[in-house]
Amino acid sequence: MKTQLLSGVTLISLNFISSPLIGQNNYSVEKPNIIYILMDDMGYGEAGCYGQEKIETPNIDKLREKGMLFTQHYSGSPVSGPSRCVLQTGLHSGHSYIRGNDEVTARGDVWSHDAMYKDAGLEGQMPLKPGTMTLGRLLQSAGYTTACIGKWGLGYPGSVGTPNKQGFDFFYGYNCQRQAHTYFPGFLYRNEEREYLANEVVPPSTKLDPGADPRDPASYEKYYQKEYANDLMYKEILAFVDQNKDKPFFMMWTTPLPHVSLQAPKRWVDYYLKKFGDEEPYLGNKGYYPCRYPHATYAGMISYFDEQVGGLIAKLKEEGLYENTLIVFTSDNGPTFNGGSDSPWFNSGGIFKSEAGWGKCSLHEGGIRVPTIMAWPGKIKKNSKSDHISAFYDMMPTFAELAGVECPPTDGISLMPTLLGKKQEKHDYLYWEYPEGGGSRALRQGDWKLLISNIRKNPKIELFNLSKDVREQNDLSAENQTKVNQLLDLMEGALVESEHPAFRMKFVR
C-alpha cells in the first residue's frame, strides 16, 4: 500500500478515511500486536548478528534467527529528535516538521539540570504540531492501545507535543532528551506528571572531585545512585504487556541505551572488565560523566539491554502473545563519538566508518544506516535477510497495512511484501537533510549517493557508488557530472523549505 506525498505537506491532519479492512486484515484472525524497539545511538555493527565481536548480544541475535535482518534500512536523521519525527510521521526530513535537535533555548537555561529540576518549563524539545498524524494516533484509529516507554524528545511538558497528546495512551520515561543524558535522573514522567526518584541531581558535566584518584573506582561512586531509569522502564514494559494482553497493542520501547553517559549495572561492568582487562579511565574531557572502565561500561549497557529484550520475548511467550506479535528492532542513528564511547575500538559502524564525522551527526552511511531486524513467527521467514532499501518513513504505511487502516500521505512504502516474501515496490530515491553542523543533504538512488556537506559555509559535493565503495572513500563527482546534476535535480524536488529559519539551508548550484 503506497500513498503519494502531496507537495508541500508538512502536517497530516486527523481527517483521513478509514479503510474497510479495519479488523479484516489478511495476516491474522486477530490484529497482530506491534512492538517497535528503538535503541539510541546503536551502531550498524554493534550486535553480534551484524558482525560485532566484543559485545555479546545473544537475544538480539536470536531475534534475527527467528526473523529477517535488513542490510539497507535507514534512520530518519543522524540525530535523535528529527529521526524520531520522521519515524512518527512517515515524512522524510525534506518534508518533516522537526529537522534538527531544537532545545528551544529562548526559554532560559535549558541545559542546567538543576534549573530543569525546579522548572519543568525548561525541559524538552520543539513540539510536534497539534493533531499530527503519528504512528500512535494511526494505530489508535485501528483499535490499538498505544504506549511509548523510554525517551520522547518531541515536545516539552505542557506543550502540544507530549506523547499523550500525540496518539499514545500511556507514556513512561524521559520527556526530555537532555534529561536522558543521565541514567540516574531526579525524575521520570508517567504520562503528563513527574514521578520523583530517590536520586540526587548530578549534572552530566560533573567531573571528579578535586584530588580524587582517577584509577580508584570509589572516585566514581557519585555517578551511581539508587534508581536506575532503565530498570524502572523495563518494569513498565512488562506491566504494559500484562495489562493489555487481551487486546491489540502497539508499544514503542524507545530506550535511551547506549547513548552516553556511561552508566551500566555493576554486574555487567564486572563481566566485561574480566573479559577486556583493566583499562584507562575516561575523565570527562569529551563531555558527560567520567567513567573508570569506559569500554566495559559501554559494552555492559548494550548487553544489559539485550538481556531485557530476551526477558520481553519470554513474557510474550508466557502470555501466549509471541506468535501474534510483530517485533521491530532498530536504532535512531549511528554510533556516537563523545562521552567516553570508543566506536573505532568496538568497530561500532561495522562495515562503515564510525569515528567523528562519519557516524552520529553525519549523513555518511555510518550515521544513518542502522541495524534492523523484524520478526513475526509464522509470517516472516526464519533466518532471512533483505537487501531492500528502506527507511523509517516506511513504518507508517507498513503498520497501516498490517492494522487494516488507510494510510495518510507519506513518503513511505509498505514493507509488508518484503516481510511476507512477496514482490516489493521500491523507492525511486531516499532523501535526508540535516541543518546542524554547517548543514548537509544526501540523496540515494540505487547504488548512487549524492552528499552535500557544509552547505552554509563552503558547500562540498561528493558522489559515491555504494555497490563498490560502501565506506564512501572515493568521490566520483568530477568524472560523473551528468549523474551529479541528475541527483541534484531530484534533491531540489525532494524538499519543501522548513517553516523554521534555523532549519533552512540555501544551496546555490
Side-chain angles (χ1 to χ4, degrees):
M1 179 188 299
K2 180 180 180 182
T3 53
Q4 298 292 332
L5 179 70
L6 302 178
S7 177
V9 170
T10 57
L11 176 68
I12 304 300
S13 75
L14 286 171
N15 299 316
F16 69 102
I17 300 173
S18 296
S19 165
L21 294 176
I22 292 177
Q24 304 174 19
N25 60 42
N26 298 317
Y27 310 118
S28 175
V29 175
E30 301 176 67
K31 291 182 181 180
N33 303 309
I34 304 170
I35 296 176
Y36 191 94
I37 302 173
L38 183 68
M39 296 200 73
D40 196 334
D41 293 2
M42 185 179 188
Y44 187 85
E46 288 188 328
C49 54
Y50 278 88
Q52 178 57 222
E53 297 179 349
K54 294 176 179 175
I55 305 172
E56 299 173 24
T57 57
N59 294 294
I60 296 170
D61 298 343
K62 183 176 289 187
L63 187 67
R64 182 267 179 278
E65 292 171 5
K66 299 297 183 181
M68 179 178 291
L69 180 146
F70 284 72
T71 65
Q72 301 193 82
H73 189 70
Y74 289 88
S75 68
S77 175
V79 294
S80 181
S83 189
R84 290 157 201 264
C85 180
V86 170
L87 172 63
Q88 286 289 350
T89 63
L91 304 176
H92 67 53
S93 52
H95 294 140
S96 59
Y97 182 63
I98 298 171
R99 305 186 189 187
N101 279 336
D102 190 330
E103 310 301 333
V104 199
T105 56
R107 293 176 294 167
D109 192 3
V110 299
W111 286 99
S112 168
H113 280 244
D114 289 321
M116 283 188 283
Y117 188 83
K118 298 172 183 175
D119 181 2
L122 296 176
E123 283 186 74
Q125 288 66 47
M126 175 183 287
L128 294 170
K129 284 187 174 182
T132 297
M133 180 51 67
T134 62
L135 291 176
R137 188 164 274 129
L138 175 82
L139 288 165
Q140 279 181 334
S141 76
Y144 282 69
T145 301
T146 60
C148 178
I149 300 173
K151 188 177 93 171
W152 179 242
L154 293 173
Y156 50 84
S159 75
V160 296
T162 57
N164 296 122
K165 296 171 185 170
Q166 292 292 343
F168 290 90
D169 298 305
F170 177 72
F171 171 70
Y172 183 81
Y174 296 93
N175 170 287
C176 174
Q177 62 192 24
R178 299 186 308 278
Q179 286 289 323
H181 291 175
T182 174
Y183 293 113
F184 294 93
F187 55 86
L188 293 172
Y189 275 85
R190 183 177 299 276
N191 296 317
E192 301 278 342
E193 301 296 326
R194 280 185 178 184
E195 285 192 349
Y196 289 91
L197 307 180
N199 298 327
E200 295 181 6
V201 176
V202 180
S205 58
T206 303
K207 300 297 188 289
L208 294 177
D209 293 336
D213 180 359
R215 304 196 71 85
D216 182 356
S219 299
Y220 301 82
E221 288 180 355
K222 66 181 179 181
Y223 306 118
Y224 286 81
Q225 300 188 59
K226 294 182 179 179
E227 295 189 89
Y228 190 54
N230 298 299
D231 288 340
L232 302 176
M233 291 185 288
Y234 180 59
K235 289 179 182 178
E236 297 295 335
I237 291 287
L238 299 183
F240 180 82
V241 172
D242 191 61
Q243 294 161 7
N244 294 279
K245 57 190 175 185
D246 297 325
K247 50 190 174 183
F249 64 79
F250 169 55
M251 180 172 67
M252 297 193 70
W253 186 1
T254 57
T255 178
L257 291 165
H259 191 299
V260 290
S261 294
L262 294 172
Q263 295 169 308
K266 185 177 184 301
R267 60 187 175 86
W268 275 112
V269 176
D270 290 345
Y271 177 85
Y272 279 107
L273 180 60
K274 183 177 180 180
K275 180 176 180 177
F276 298 157
D278 196 11
E279 55 178 305
E280 290 298 313
Y282 167 66
L283 300 181
N285 55 304
K286 292 185 179 180
Y288 304 93
Y289 295 132
C291 180
R292 175 60 188 90
Y293 304 110
H295 289 159
T297 303
Y298 187 80
M301 290 162 72
I302 292 178
S303 288
Y304 162 87
F305 187 75
D306 175 86
E307 184 178 52
Q308 292 186 330
V309 170
L312 171 60
I313 293 172
K315 175 67 173 177
L316 294 173
K317 291 179 178 179
E318 176 187 328
E319 301 295 347
L321 302 173
Y322 180 64
E323 302 295 326
N324 195 46
T325 301
L326 169 66
I327 301 174
V328 181
F329 174 90
T330 189
S331 175
D332 65 347
N333 48 250
T336 195
F337 48 84
N338 57 6
S341 65
D342 192 349
S343 295
W345 191 81
F346 284 107
N347 193 28
S348 297
I351 59 176
F352 310 115
K353 290 171 67 67
S354 58
E355 54 265 42
W358 293 89
K360 181 178 180 177
C361 300
S362 162
L363 290 181
H364 283 294
E365 293 294 288
I368 52 176
R369 202 187 298 196
V370 289
T372 304
I373 300 164
M374 301 190 192
W376 187 12
K379 305 296 189 300
I380 297 175
K381 185 178 179 181
K382 293 181 180 180
N383 207 29
S384 55
K385 184 173 76 171
S386 174
D387 297 325
H388 173 65
I389 301 170
S390 56
F392 273 15
Y393 41 92
D394 293 326
M395 291 298 99
M396 183 171 281
T398 300
F399 294 164
E401 183 172 355
L402 183 67
V405 291
E406 185 77 11
C407 186
T410 71
D411 290 307
I413 300 172
S414 172
L415 297 177
M416 288 305 302
T418 290
L419 299 183
L420 301 178
K422 299 179 180 179
K423 186 177 180 180
Q424 174 70 57
E425 182 181 2
K426 298 180 180 180
H427 285 279
D428 183 24
Y429 59 83
L430 299 183
Y431 175 79
W432 303 265
E433 64 178 62
Y434 177 56
E436 300 174 58
S440 55
R441 291 189 173 120
L443 184 142
R444 177 176 178 179
Q445 185 179 53
D447 292 330
W448 291 101
K449 180 178 176 182
L450 186 72
L451 174 64
I452 311 177
S453 55
N454 206 25
I455 291 174
R456 289 196 173 96
K457 298 178 182 178
N458 185 24
K460 179 181 180 181
I461 298 177
E462 297 174 284
L463 178 69
F464 305 104
N465 186 324
L466 297 178
S467 66
K468 301 175 181 178
D469 179 26
V470 74
R471 291 173 68 85
E472 299 166 293
Q473 298 298 287
N474 302 304
D475 175 19
L476 304 176
S477 59
E479 57 264 45
N480 290 276
Q481 194 58 50
T482 298
K483 175 60 68 174
V484 168
N485 289 333
Q486 176 193 356
L487 298 183
L488 283 172
D489 289 342
L490 286 175
M491 188 175 282
E492 289 178 359
L495 64 98
V496 174
E497 186 174 67
S498 174
E499 298 177 45
H500 300 280
F503 296 160
R504 294 174 189 164
M505 301 179 288
K506 187 172 182 61
F507 171 70
V508 179
R509 294 171 65 169

